[in-house]
Amino acid sequence: MSSQPAASPEPARVVVLGAGWWTQGWHCPHLSRHPHAIIAAVVDTSPTPRSAISELESLEALGARYGCPTFSSFDAVLEASVVFDGVIVCTSHASHAALGQRALAAGKHVLMEKPMTTDVEEARALAAAAAARPELFFAVNNTASWRPQAHAAAAWVKAGSVGRVRHVACVMHSPLLWLFDDPANVG
């Protein structure tokens, strides 16, 4: 056994696509506190992102808060030669497929907020693009997957503690009608 400490992994440099509620309330705060993550840039088409459920900071304020550049498009990030490893896609649902495809084509890892896309054919094409790049990480985020209860349930299934699983049904309720009524979220 070596007496030298293990090397710390290089921090993941992440471009956050979208500056809405999930970005400001979840992704950026968590990324900024993680010792192995750096927010490389924040992107939003609006300099003043909006939310139906909370007040949001401007894109300029987010850049100042997290010490990163901000951009109005993902293409602008790529043209500016920002060094980054992957993206978190948390934009309007209808834009997920194109941004995911663009990130994969640029050789970047992708964590995408749900829904993956708003169209079945787009989802199939995006899944195929991700499968064609096995060296890249691609996943659709579901924060419930990371909760202690989900890990415990997965461990019970893996250990055979609950018998043979033949069907699972899960219902999670949240007042999200406003989200589906937003015209920006149609594909």
Side-chain angles (χ1 to χ4, degrees):
M1 181 167 172
S2 172
S3 61
Q4 294 187 3
S8 287
E10 289 293 317
R13 298 161 298 189
V14 181
V15 170
V16 183
L17 302 176
W21 185 80
W22 274 115
T23 292
Q24 294 193 27
W26 183 261
H27 292 298
C28 282
H30 285 281
L31 286 169
S32 71
R33 290 190 299 264
H34 197 290
H36 301 298
I38 294 171
I39 300 172
V42 177
V43 178
D44 202 283
T45 56
S46 173
T48 54
R50 65 180 178 84
S51 170
I53 59 176
S54 66
E55 292 294 317
L56 297 178
E57 290 187 77
S58 69
L59 197 56
E60 181 180 352
L62 284 175
R65 175 184 294 273
Y66 296 110
C68 66
T70 60
F71 296 88
S72 62
S73 73
F74 186 40
D75 285 339
V77 172
L78 297 171
E79 290 166 9
S81 300
V82 172
V83 177
F84 67 103
D85 304 302
V87 300
I88 298 178
V89 180
C90 29
T91 55
S92 64
H93 300 158
S95 67
H96 285 192
L99 290 169
Q101 288 273 10
R102 185 81 170 105
L104 290 167
K108 306 302 179 183
H109 303 286
V110 177
L111 177 63
M112 180 158 309
E113 273 301 334
K114 57 194 174 306
M116 180 175 167
T117 69
T118 58
D119 177 85
V120 172
E121 290 307 315
E122 285 181 344
R124 288 182 178 136
L126 187 54
R133 299 296 304 264
E135 74 280 11
L136 298 176
F137 175 83
F138 177 88
V140 178
N141 188 36
N142 183 346
T143 54
S145 299
W146 309 107
R147 293 180 181 156
Q149 303 91 323
H151 284 275
W156 295 335
V157 170
K158 186 175 183 179
S161 302
V162 295
R164 182 171 167 239
V165 177
R166 295 167 53 162
H167 179 79
V168 174
C170 176
V171 177
M172 296 168 36
H173 296 279
S174 184
L176 294 176
L177 186 57
W178 61 268
L179 179 66
F180 299 105
D181 285 342
D182 186 341
N185 289 330
V186 296

